[in-house]
Protein backbone atom coordinates (compact mmCIF):
# COMPACT_ATOMS: atom_id res chain seq x y z
CA UNK A 1 0.00 0.00 0.00
CA UNK A 2 1.32 3.44 -0.95
CA UNK A 3 -1.69 5.73 -0.56
CA UNK A 4 -4.84 4.91 1.45
CA UNK A 5 -7.64 6.78 -0.31
CA UNK A 6 -10.25 4.02 -0.68
CA UNK A 7 -10.79 0.26 -0.52
CA UNK A 8 -9.17 0.09 -3.96
CA UNK A 9 -5.80 0.65 -2.24
CA UNK A 10 -6.30 -2.50 -0.14
CA UNK A 11 -4.93 -5.75 -1.53
CA UNK A 12 -6.20 -8.10 1.21
CA UNK A 13 -9.07 -6.82 3.37
CA UNK A 14 -9.16 -9.82 5.71
CA UNK A 15 -5.40 -9.47 6.36
CA UNK A 16 -5.84 -5.75 7.13
CA UNK A 17 -8.68 -6.50 9.61
CA UNK A 18 -6.45 -9.13 11.22
CA UNK A 19 -3.58 -6.63 11.44
CA UNK A 20 -5.89 -4.18 13.26
CA UNK A 21 -6.91 -6.87 15.75
CA UNK A 22 -3.23 -7.77 16.30
CA UNK A 23 -2.38 -4.10 16.97
CA UNK A 24 -5.16 -4.03 19.56
CA UNK A 25 -3.65 -7.10 21.29
CA UNK A 26 -0.11 -5.77 21.17
CA UNK A 27 -0.05 -2.00 20.41
CA UNK A 28 3.72 -1.40 20.73
CA UNK A 29 5.08 -4.43 18.82
CA UNK A 30 6.03 -2.30 15.80
CA UNK A 31 7.54 0.79 17.49
CA UNK A 32 10.71 0.41 15.39
CA UNK A 33 8.80 0.88 12.11
CA UNK A 34 8.06 4.58 12.69
CA UNK A 35 11.21 5.59 14.53
CA UNK A 36 12.49 8.95 13.23
CA UNK A 37 9.54 9.19 10.81
CA UNK A 38 6.98 12.01 10.84
CA UNK A 39 3.30 12.09 9.94
CA UNK A 40 1.43 15.34 9.23
CA UNK A 41 -2.30 15.36 10.02
CA UNK A 42 -3.94 18.07 7.91
CA UNK A 43 -7.52 19.11 8.73
CA UNK A 44 -9.81 21.25 6.58
CA UNK A 45 -12.71 20.30 8.95
CA UNK A 46 -13.42 19.53 12.61
CA UNK A 47 -12.59 16.17 14.17
CA UNK A 48 -12.43 14.40 17.52
CA UNK A 49 -11.94 10.67 16.84
CA UNK A 50 -9.95 10.86 13.61
CA UNK A 51 -7.49 13.36 14.99
CA UNK A 52 -6.87 11.61 18.32
CA UNK A 53 -6.97 8.00 17.10
CA UNK A 54 -4.63 8.62 14.15
CA UNK A 55 -2.19 10.53 16.38
CA UNK A 56 -2.27 7.69 18.92
CA UNK A 57 -1.81 5.01 16.25
CA UNK A 58 1.17 6.86 14.77
CA UNK A 59 2.73 7.23 18.23
CA UNK A 60 2.17 3.50 18.93
CA UNK A 61 4.28 2.91 15.80
CA UNK A 62 7.02 5.23 17.10
CA UNK A 63 6.24 8.14 14.75
CA UNK A 64 6.43 11.87 15.40
CA UNK A 65 3.13 13.66 14.77
CA UNK A 66 2.36 17.20 13.55
CA UNK A 67 -1.19 18.54 13.24
CA UNK A 68 -2.28 21.47 11.05
CA UNK A 69 -5.74 23.03 10.76
CA UNK A 70 -5.85 24.58 7.29
CA UNK A 71 -7.18 28.12 7.16
CA UNK A 72 -6.95 28.52 10.96
CA UNK A 73 -3.29 27.74 11.77
CA UNK A 74 -2.14 28.06 8.15
CA UNK A 75 -2.98 30.02 5.00
CA UNK A 76 -6.15 29.32 3.07
CA UNK A 77 -5.34 26.98 0.15
CA UNK A 78 -6.17 27.45 -3.52
CA UNK A 79 -6.97 24.02 -5.00
CA UNK A 80 -7.64 24.78 -8.67
CA UNK A 81 -4.73 24.28 -11.10
CA UNK A 82 -4.09 26.67 -13.94
CA UNK A 83 -5.01 25.27 -17.35
CA UNK A 84 -3.49 26.15 -20.71
CA UNK A 85 -4.77 29.64 -21.54
CA UNK A 86 -6.70 29.79 -18.27
CA UNK A 87 -4.35 30.67 -15.39
CA UNK A 88 -5.63 30.65 -11.82
CA UNK A 89 -5.28 34.24 -10.62
CA UNK A 90 -4.94 34.17 -6.85
CA UNK A 91 -6.44 37.54 -6.01
CA UNK A 92 -9.09 36.20 -3.59
CA UNK A 93 -8.91 35.04 0.04
CA UNK A 94 -6.61 32.01 -0.61
CA UNK A 95 -3.00 33.07 -0.02
CA UNK A 96 -1.23 29.80 -0.94
CA UNK A 97 -1.59 27.21 -3.72
CA UNK A 98 -1.78 23.50 -2.84
CA UNK A 99 1.05 22.95 -5.34
CA UNK A 100 3.54 24.65 -3.00
CA UNK A 101 1.81 23.81 0.28
CA UNK A 102 1.59 20.02 -0.33
CA UNK A 103 5.13 19.91 -1.77
CA UNK A 104 6.53 21.73 1.29
CA UNK A 105 4.64 19.53 3.74
CA UNK A 106 5.96 16.52 1.83
CA UNK A 107 9.51 17.68 2.64
CA UNK A 108 8.74 17.72 6.38
CA UNK A 109 6.65 14.54 6.51
CA UNK A 110 7.06 10.87 5.55
CA UNK A 111 3.27 10.42 5.41
CA UNK A 112 0.55 13.06 5.07
CA UNK A 113 -3.02 12.40 6.19
CA UNK A 114 -5.78 14.75 5.05
CA UNK A 115 -9.38 15.48 6.02
CA UNK A 116 -11.46 17.52 3.56
CA UNK A 117 -15.25 17.12 3.53
CA UNK A 118 -17.59 17.58 0.57
CA UNK A 119 -18.68 21.17 -0.06
CA UNK A 120 -22.14 19.78 -1.08
CA UNK A 121 -22.58 22.59 -3.64
CA UNK A 122 -21.17 21.00 -6.79
CA UNK A 123 -21.49 17.23 -7.13
CA UNK A 124 -19.00 16.82 -9.96
CA UNK A 125 -16.39 18.77 -8.05
CA UNK A 126 -16.92 16.79 -4.85
CA UNK A 127 -16.95 13.42 -6.62
CA UNK A 128 -13.72 14.34 -8.46
CA UNK A 129 -12.03 14.33 -5.02
CA UNK A 130 -10.03 17.44 -5.77
CA UNK A 131 -8.22 17.75 -2.43
CA UNK A 132 -7.06 14.11 -2.24
CA UNK A 133 -6.06 14.19 -5.91
CA UNK A 134 -4.03 17.38 -5.48
CA UNK A 135 -2.21 16.07 -2.39
CA UNK A 136 -1.39 12.79 -4.16
CA UNK A 137 -0.14 14.80 -7.15
CA UNK A 138 2.00 17.36 -5.29
CA UNK A 139 3.10 15.99 -1.87
CA UNK A 140 5.49 13.31 -3.13
CA UNK A 141 4.81 11.11 -0.05
CA UNK A 142 2.04 8.60 0.80
CA UNK A 143 -1.38 10.17 1.42
CA UNK A 144 -3.95 8.83 3.89
CA UNK A 145 -7.63 9.80 3.64
CA UNK A 146 -9.03 11.05 6.98
CA UNK A 147 -12.51 11.53 5.36
CA UNK A 148 -12.69 13.05 1.94
CA UNK A 149 -15.63 14.34 -0.11
CA UNK A 150 -16.87 10.85 -0.98
CA UNK A 151 -15.22 8.36 1.41
CA UNK A 152 -14.06 7.69 5.00
CA UNK A 153 -11.97 4.53 4.67
CA UNK A 154 -10.32 4.56 8.14
CA UNK A 155 -13.86 4.62 9.58
CA UNK A 156 -14.95 1.78 7.32
CA UNK A 157 -11.95 -0.35 8.31
CA UNK A 158 -12.75 0.27 12.02
CA UNK A 159 -16.34 -0.76 11.21
CA UNK A 160 -15.10 -4.01 9.64
CA UNK A 161 -12.93 -4.70 12.70
CA UNK A 162 -15.91 -4.03 15.00
CA UNK A 163 -18.24 -6.32 13.01
CA UNK A 164 -15.56 -9.03 13.06
CA UNK A 165 -15.40 -8.77 16.88
CA UNK A 166 -19.14 -8.69 17.54
CA UNK A 167 -20.57 -11.00 14.88
CA UNK A 168 -22.24 -14.22 16.05
CA UNK A 169 -22.83 -15.66 12.55
CA UNK A 170 -20.41 -16.39 9.72
CA UNK A 171 -22.35 -14.07 7.37
CA UNK A 172 -24.21 -11.45 9.42
CA UNK A 173 -27.05 -9.28 8.10
CA UNK A 174 -25.81 -5.68 8.12
CA UNK A 175 -28.29 -2.81 7.59
CA UNK A 176 -27.18 0.69 6.62
CA UNK A 177 -30.06 2.98 7.55
CA UNK A 178 -30.55 6.66 6.77
CA UNK A 179 -31.35 8.73 9.88
CA UNK A 180 -33.08 12.14 10.06
CA UNK A 181 -31.06 15.35 10.47
CA UNK A 182 -31.92 18.99 9.88
CA UNK A 183 -28.63 19.92 8.23
CA UNK A 184 -27.11 18.62 4.98
CA UNK A 185 -24.32 16.10 5.70
CA UNK A 186 -21.94 14.44 3.22
CA UNK A 187 -22.51 10.95 1.76
CA UNK A 188 -18.89 9.97 2.54
CA UNK A 189 -19.43 7.71 5.57
CA UNK A 190 -22.41 5.92 4.00
CA UNK A 191 -20.68 5.55 0.60
CA UNK A 192 -17.57 4.17 2.18
CA UNK A 193 -19.40 1.81 4.55
CA UNK A 194 -21.41 0.36 1.64
CA UNK A 195 -18.26 0.03 -0.47
CA UNK A 196 -16.35 -1.84 2.25
CA UNK A 197 -19.31 -4.07 3.16
CA UNK A 198 -19.59 -5.04 -0.51
CA UNK A 199 -16.01 -6.35 -0.17
CA UNK A 200 -16.74 -8.09 3.16
CA UNK A 201 -18.56 -11.37 3.81
CA UNK A 202 -21.92 -9.92 4.95
CA UNK A 203 -25.50 -9.59 3.68
CA UNK A 204 -25.84 -5.83 3.07
CA UNK A 205 -29.23 -4.07 3.05
CA UNK A 206 -29.51 -0.29 2.59
CA UNK A 207 -32.68 1.53 3.66
CA UNK A 208 -33.54 5.20 3.12
CA UNK A 209 -36.47 7.43 2.14
CA UNK A 210 -37.10 8.13 -1.55
CA UNK A 211 -34.63 10.58 -3.07
CA UNK A 212 -31.70 9.46 -0.90
CA UNK A 213 -30.16 6.82 -3.21
CA UNK A 214 -26.39 6.68 -2.93
CA UNK A 215 -24.26 6.69 -6.09
CA UNK A 216 -24.55 3.27 -7.82
CA UNK A 217 -20.80 2.61 -7.63
CA UNK A 218 -21.08 2.49 -3.81
CA UNK A 219 -24.39 0.59 -3.57
CA UNK A 220 -22.91 -2.30 -5.58
CA UNK A 221 -24.78 -5.53 -4.90
CA UNK A 222 -26.62 -4.35 -1.79
CA UNK A 223 -30.38 -4.82 -1.50
CA UNK A 224 -32.08 -1.39 -1.29
CA UNK A 225 -35.49 -0.78 0.31
CA UNK A 226 -37.57 2.21 1.43
CA UNK A 227 -39.20 0.05 4.12
CA UNK A 228 -37.03 0.52 7.21
CA UNK A 229 -38.95 -1.95 9.43
CA UNK A 230 -38.63 -4.69 6.81
CA UNK A 231 -34.88 -3.99 6.56
CA UNK A 232 -34.45 -4.27 10.34
CA UNK A 233 -36.08 -7.72 10.56
CA UNK A 234 -33.52 -10.28 11.70
CA UNK A 235 -30.59 -7.84 11.36
CA UNK A 236 -27.36 -8.46 13.25
CA UNK A 237 -25.99 -4.91 12.85
CA UNK A 238 -27.82 -1.61 12.38
CA UNK A 239 -25.45 1.04 11.01
CA UNK A 240 -27.11 4.47 11.30
CA UNK A 241 -26.05 7.56 9.37
CA UNK A 242 -27.63 10.67 7.92
CA UNK A 243 -26.68 11.84 4.46
CA UNK A 244 -27.99 14.56 2.18
CA UNK A 245 -29.40 13.68 -1.24
CA UNK A 246 -26.99 12.58 -3.97
CA UNK A 247 -29.55 12.95 -6.79
CA UNK A 248 -30.83 16.37 -5.60
CA UNK A 249 -27.28 17.11 -4.62
CA UNK A 250 -26.64 18.33 -1.09
CA UNK A 251 -30.33 18.88 -0.29
CA UNK A 252 -32.31 17.88 2.79
CA UNK A 253 -35.48 16.46 1.16
CA UNK A 254 -37.19 15.15 4.32
CA UNK A 255 -36.45 15.23 8.05
CA UNK A 256 -39.11 12.58 8.87
CA UNK A 257 -38.51 11.82 12.60
CA UNK A 258 -40.06 8.36 12.14
CA UNK A 259 -36.73 7.29 10.57
CA UNK A 260 -34.87 7.72 13.91
CA UNK A 261 -33.75 4.46 15.53
CA UNK A 262 -35.83 3.54 18.59
CA UNK A 263 -35.91 0.52 20.90
CA UNK A 264 -39.13 -0.65 19.19
CA UNK A 265 -37.22 -0.87 15.92
CA UNK A 266 -34.22 -2.57 17.53
CA UNK A 267 -36.67 -5.25 18.77
CA UNK A 268 -37.28 -6.22 15.11
CA UNK A 269 -33.62 -7.24 14.82
CA UNK A 270 -31.98 -10.47 15.95
CA UNK A 271 -30.56 -8.85 19.10
CA UNK A 272 -28.80 -6.54 16.61
CA UNK A 273 -26.02 -4.16 17.56
CA UNK A 274 -26.35 -0.44 16.88
CA UNK A 275 -23.39 1.28 15.21
CA UNK A 276 -22.72 4.95 14.32
CA UNK A 277 -19.44 6.64 13.38
CA UNK A 278 -20.12 9.57 15.80
CA UNK A 279 -20.68 12.40 16.48
CA UNK A 280 -24.38 11.56 16.85
CA UNK A 281 -27.24 13.87 17.83
CA UNK A 282 -29.24 12.16 20.55
CA UNK A 283 -33.01 12.03 20.12
CA UNK A 284 -32.75 13.40 16.58
CA UNK A 285 -31.15 10.37 14.90
CA UNK A 286 -31.38 7.75 17.65
CA UNK A 287 -32.98 7.69 21.11
CA UNK A 288 -31.14 7.77 24.45
CA UNK A 289 -32.64 4.38 25.19
CA UNK A 290 -30.86 2.77 22.22
CA UNK A 291 -27.55 4.60 22.68
CA UNK A 292 -27.44 3.74 26.40
CA UNK A 293 -28.48 0.09 25.91
CA UNK A 294 -26.10 -2.88 25.75
CA UNK A 295 -27.07 -3.20 22.06
CA UNK A 296 -25.17 0.02 21.26
CA UNK A 297 -21.50 -0.61 20.40
CA UNK A 298 -20.65 2.95 19.30
CA UNK A 299 -17.89 3.40 21.90
CA UNK A 300 -16.18 0.11 21.01
CA UNK A 301 -16.50 1.12 17.35
CA UNK A 302 -14.85 4.50 18.00
CA UNK A 303 -12.12 2.81 20.05
CA UNK A 304 -11.33 0.62 17.04
CA UNK A 305 -10.41 3.74 15.05
CA UNK A 306 -7.01 3.53 16.74
CA UNK A 307 -6.43 0.01 15.43
CA UNK A 308 -7.67 0.69 11.92
CA UNK A 309 -5.28 3.64 11.65
CA UNK A 310 -2.45 1.56 13.08
CA UNK A 311 -3.01 -1.28 10.57
CA UNK A 312 -2.94 1.19 7.66
CA UNK A 313 0.09 3.21 8.84
CA UNK A 314 1.98 -0.02 9.55
CA UNK A 315 1.42 -1.27 6.01
CA UNK A 316 2.52 2.06 4.50
CA UNK A 317 5.66 2.16 6.70
CA UNK A 318 6.52 -1.43 5.78
CA UNK A 319 6.29 -0.45 2.13
CA UNK A 320 9.11 1.99 2.74
N1 LIG B 1 -16.47 11.88 10.61
C1 LIG B 1 -17.71 11.49 11.04
C2 LIG B 1 -18.84 12.25 10.45
C3 LIG B 1 -18.49 13.65 10.02
C4 LIG B 1 -19.63 14.42 9.40
N2 LIG B 1 -20.60 14.67 10.41
C5 LIG B 1 -21.00 15.91 10.75
O1 LIG B 1 -20.57 16.83 10.12
C6 LIG B 1 -22.02 16.03 11.84
C7 LIG B 1 -22.28 17.47 12.11
C8 LIG B 1 -23.53 17.76 12.90
O2 LIG B 1 -24.24 16.86 13.38
O3 LIG B 1 -23.80 18.94 12.99
C9 LIG B 1 -20.26 13.61 8.25
O4 LIG B 1 -21.45 13.35 8.28
O5 LIG B 1 -19.52 13.25 7.31
N1 LIG C 1 -16.09 9.27 13.17
C1 LIG C 1 -15.29 10.32 12.97
O1 LIG C 1 -14.61 10.43 11.96
O2 LIG C 1 -15.25 11.22 14.00
P1 LIG C 1 -14.57 12.65 13.94
O3 LIG C 1 -15.30 13.41 12.85
O4 LIG C 1 -14.79 13.22 15.30
O5 LIG C 1 -13.13 12.50 13.59
Amino acid sequence: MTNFISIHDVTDLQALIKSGLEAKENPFADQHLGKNKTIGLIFFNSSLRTRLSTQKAAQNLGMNVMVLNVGQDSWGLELEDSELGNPVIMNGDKAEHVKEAAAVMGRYCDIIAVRAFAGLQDRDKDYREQVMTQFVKYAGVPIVNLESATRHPLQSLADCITIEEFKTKARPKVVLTWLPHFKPLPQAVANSFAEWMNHNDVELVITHPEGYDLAPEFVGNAQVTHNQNEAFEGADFIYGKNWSSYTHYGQVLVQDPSWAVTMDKMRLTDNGKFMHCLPVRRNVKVTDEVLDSPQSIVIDQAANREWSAQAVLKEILQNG
Side-chain angles (χ1 to χ4, degrees), residues 219-254:
V219 174
N221 297 321
Q223 185 198 324
V224 180
T225 170
H226 297 146
N227 186 333
Q228 194 191 35
N229 282 352
E230 189 184 281
F232 273 44
E233 271 165 32
D236 299 292
F237 294 91
I238 299 297
Y239 194 96
K241 183 72 186 86
N242 169 269
W243 62 88
S244 59
S245 178
Y246 171 75
T247 41
H248 305 274
Y249 194 64
Q251 290 180 34
V252 175
L253 305 175
V254 288

Coordinates of all heavy atoms in Angstrom, one line a residue, residues 219-254:
V219 N -23.3 1.5 -3.9 CA -24.4 0.6 -3.6 C -24.0 -0.8 -4.0 O -24.3 -1.8 -3.2 CB -25.7 1.0 -4.2 CG1 -26.8 0.0 -4.0 CG2 -26.1 2.4 -3.8
G220 N -23.4 -1.0 -5.1 CA -22.9 -2.3 -5.6 C -24.0 -3.3 -5.6 O -25.1 -3.1 -6.1
N221 N -23.8 -4.4 -4.9 CA -24.8 -5.5 -4.9 C -25.8 -5.5 -3.7 O -26.5 -6.4 -3.5 CB -24.0 -6.9 -4.9 CG -23.2 -7.1 -6.1 OD1 -23.6 -6.7 -7.2 ND2 -22.0 -7.6 -5.9
A222 N -25.7 -4.4 -3.0 CA -26.6 -4.3 -1.8 C -28.1 -4.4 -2.2 O -28.4 -3.9 -3.3 CB -26.3 -3.1 -1.0
Q223 N -28.9 -4.9 -1.3 CA -30.4 -4.8 -1.5 C -30.8 -3.5 -1.0 O -30.4 -3.1 0.1 CB -31.0 -6.0 -0.7 CG -32.5 -6.0 -0.9 CD -33.2 -6.9 0.2 OE1 -32.6 -7.9 0.7 NE2 -34.4 -6.5 0.6
V224 N -31.6 -2.7 -1.7 CA -32.1 -1.4 -1.3 C -33.6 -1.4 -1.1 O -34.3 -1.9 -1.9 CB -31.7 -0.3 -2.3 CG1 -32.1 1.1 -1.9 CG2 -30.2 -0.3 -2.6
T225 N -34.1 -0.8 0.0 CA -35.5 -0.8 0.3 C -35.8 0.5 1.0 O -35.0 1.1 1.8 CB -36.0 -2.0 1.2 OG1 -37.3 -1.7 1.6 CG2 -35.1 -2.2 2.4
H226 N -37.1 1.0 0.7 CA -37.6 2.2 1.4 C -38.4 1.8 2.7 O -38.9 2.7 3.4 CB -38.4 3.0 0.5 CG -37.7 3.6 -0.7 ND1 -38.3 3.7 -1.9 CD2 -36.4 3.9 -0.9 CE1 -37.4 4.2 -2.8 NE2 -36.2 4.3 -2.2
N227 N -38.5 0.5 3.0 CA -39.2 0.0 4.1 C -38.2 -0.3 5.2 O -37.6 -1.3 5.3 CB -40.0 -1.2 3.7 CG -40.9 -1.7 4.8 OD1 -40.6 -1.5 6.0 ND2 -42.0 -2.3 4.4
Q228 N -38.1 0.7 6.2 CA -37.0 0.5 7.2 C -37.3 -0.7 8.1 O -36.4 -1.4 8.5 CB -36.9 1.8 8.0 CG -35.7 1.9 8.9 CD -35.8 3.1 9.9 OE1 -36.9 3.4 10.4 NE2 -34.6 3.7 10.1
N229 N -38.6 -0.8 8.5 CA -39.0 -2.0 9.4 C -38.6 -3.3 8.8 O -38.0 -4.2 9.5 CB -40.5 -1.9 9.8 CG -40.8 -0.9 10.8 OD1 -39.8 -0.3 11.4 ND2 -42.0 -0.6 11.0
E230 N -38.9 -3.4 7.5 CA -38.6 -4.7 6.8 C -37.1 -4.9 6.8 O -36.7 -6.0 7.0 CB -39.2 -4.6 5.4 CG -39.1 -5.8 4.6 CD -39.6 -5.5 3.1 OE1 -40.8 -5.4 2.9 OE2 -38.7 -5.3 2.3
A231 N -36.3 -3.9 6.6 CA -34.9 -4.0 6.6 C -34.4 -4.5 7.9 O -33.4 -5.3 8.0 CB -34.2 -2.7 6.2
F232 N -35.0 -4.0 9.0 CA -34.5 -4.3 10.3 C -34.7 -5.7 10.8 O -34.0 -6.2 11.6 CB -35.1 -3.3 11.4 CG -34.4 -2.0 11.6 CD1 -33.9 -1.3 10.5 CD2 -34.2 -1.5 12.9 CE1 -33.3 -0.1 10.7 CE2 -33.5 -0.3 13.0 CZ -33.1 0.4 12.0
E233 N -35.7 -6.4 10.1 CA -36.1 -7.7 10.6 C -34.9 -8.7 10.5 O -34.3 -8.9 9.4 CB -37.3 -8.2 9.7 CG -38.6 -7.8 10.4 CD -39.8 -8.0 9.4 OE1 -39.7 -8.9 8.6 OE2 -40.7 -7.2 9.5
G234 N -34.6 -9.3 11.6 CA -33.5 -10.3 11.7 C -32.1 -9.7 11.5 O -31.2 -10.5 11.4
A235 N -31.9 -8.4 11.6 CA -30.6 -7.8 11.4 C -29.7 -8.1 12.5 O -30.1 -8.2 13.7 CB -30.7 -6.3 11.1
D236 N -28.4 -8.3 12.2 CA -27.4 -8.5 13.3 C -26.7 -7.1 13.6 O -26.2 -6.9 14.7 CB -26.3 -9.5 12.8 CG -26.9 -10.8 12.5 OD1 -27.4 -11.4 13.5 OD2 -27.1 -11.2 11.3
F237 N -26.6 -6.2 12.6 CA -26.0 -4.9 12.9 C -26.9 -3.8 12.2 O -27.2 -4.0 11.0 CB -24.6 -4.8 12.3 CG -23.6 -5.8 13.0 CD1 -23.4 -7.1 12.5 CD2 -22.9 -5.4 14.1 CE1 -22.5 -7.9 13.1 CE2 -22.0 -6.2 14.7 CZ -21.8 -7.5 14.3
I238 N -27.1 -2.8 12.9 CA -27.8 -1.6 12.4 C -26.8 -0.5 12.4 O -26.3 -0.1 13.4 CB -29.0 -1.2 13.3 CG1 -30.1 -2.3 13.4 CG2 -29.7 0.1 12.7 CD1 -30.7 -2.7 12.0
Y239 N -26.4 0.0 11.2 CA -25.5 1.0 11.0 C -26.2 2.3 10.6 O -26.7 2.4 9.5 CB -24.4 0.7 9.9 CG -23.2 1.5 9.9 CD1 -22.1 1.1 10.6 CD2 -23.2 2.7 9.2 CE1 -20.9 1.9 10.6 CE2 -22.0 3.5 9.2 CZ -20.9 3.1 9.9 OH -19.8 3.9 9.9
G240 N -26.3 3.3 11.5 CA -27.1 4.5 11.3 C -26.2 5.6 10.8 O -25.1 5.7 11.2
K241 N -26.8 6.4 9.9 CA -26.0 7.6 9.4 C -27.0 8.5 8.6 O -27.8 7.9 7.9 CB -24.9 7.2 8.4 CG -24.0 8.3 7.9 CD -23.1 8.9 9.0 CE -22.4 10.1 8.5 NZ -23.2 11.4 8.7
N242 N -26.9 9.7 8.8 CA -27.6 10.7 7.9 C -26.8 11.0 6.7 O -25.5 11.1 6.9 CB -28.0 11.9 8.7 CG -28.5 13.0 7.7 OD1 -27.8 13.8 7.3 ND2 -29.8 13.0 7.4
W243 N -27.4 11.2 5.6 CA -26.7 11.8 4.5 C -27.7 12.7 3.7 O -28.9 12.4 3.7 CB -26.0 10.8 3.6 CG -26.9 9.8 2.9 CD1 -27.5 9.9 1.7 CD2 -27.2 8.5 3.4 NE1 -28.2 8.7 1.4 CE2 -28.0 7.8 2.4 CE3 -26.9 7.7 4.6 CZ2 -28.6 6.5 2.6 CZ3 -27.4 6.5 4.7 CH2 -28.2 5.9 3.8
S244 N -27.1 13.7 3.0 CA -28.0 14.6 2.2 C -28.2 13.9 0.8 O -27.4 12.9 0.5 CB -27.4 15.9 2.0 OG -26.1 15.8 1.4
S245 N -29.1 14.4 0.0 CA -29.4 13.7 -1.2 C -28.2 13.7 -2.2 O -27.6 14.8 -2.3 CB -30.6 14.3 -1.9 OG -30.9 13.7 -3.1
Y246 N -28.0 12.6 -2.9 CA -27.0 12.6 -4.0 C -27.6 13.0 -5.3 O -27.0 13.8 -6.1 CB -26.5 11.1 -4.1 CG -25.6 10.9 -5.3 CD1 -24.3 11.4 -5.4 CD2 -26.0 10.2 -6.4 CE1 -23.5 11.2 -6.5 CE2 -25.2 10.0 -7.6 CZ -23.9 10.5 -7.6 OH -23.2 10.3 -8.7
T247 N -28.9 12.6 -5.5 CA -29.5 13.0 -6.8 C -30.0 14.4 -6.8 O -29.7 15.1 -7.8 CB -30.8 12.0 -7.0 OG1 -31.4 11.9 -5.8 CG2 -30.3 10.7 -7.6
H248 N -30.5 14.9 -5.7 CA -30.8 16.4 -5.6 C -29.7 16.9 -4.7 O -29.8 17.1 -3.5 CB -32.2 16.6 -4.9 CG -33.3 15.9 -5.6 ND1 -34.0 16.5 -6.7 CD2 -33.9 14.7 -5.4 CE1 -34.9 15.6 -7.1 NE2 -34.8 14.5 -6.4
Y249 N -28.5 17.1 -5.3 CA -27.3 17.1 -4.6 C -27.2 18.1 -3.4 O -27.5 19.3 -3.6 CB -26.1 17.4 -5.6 CG -24.8 17.0 -4.9 CD1 -24.5 15.7 -4.5 CD2 -23.9 18.0 -4.6 CE1 -23.3 15.4 -3.8 CE2 -22.7 17.7 -3.9 CZ -22.4 16.4 -3.5 OH -21.3 16.1 -2.9
G250 N -26.9 17.5 -2.3 CA -26.6 18.3 -1.1 C -27.9 18.8 -0.4 O -27.8 19.5 0.6
Q251 N -29.1 18.4 -0.9 CA -30.3 18.9 -0.3 C -30.9 18.0 0.8 O -30.6 16.8 0.8 CB -31.4 19.0 -1.4 CG -31.1 20.2 -2.3 CD -32.2 20.3 -3.4 OE1 -33.4 20.0 -3.1 NE2 -31.8 20.6 -4.6
V252 N -31.5 18.6 1.8 CA -32.3 17.9 2.8 C -33.7 17.8 2.2 O -34.4 18.8 2.2 CB -32.3 18.6 4.1 CG1 -33.2 17.9 5.2 CG2 -30.9 18.7 4.7
L253 N -34.2 16.6 1.8 CA -35.5 16.5 1.2 C -36.6 16.2 2.2 O -37.7 16.7 2.1 CB -35.5 15.3 0.2 CG -34.4 15.3 -0.9 CD1 -34.4 14.1 -1.7 CD2 -34.5 16.6 -1.8
V254 N -36.2 15.4 3.2 CA -37.2 15.2 4.3 C -36.4 15.1 5.6 O -35.2 14.8 5.6 CB -37.9 13.8 4.2 CG1 -39.0 13.9 3.1 CG2 -37.0 12.7 4.0

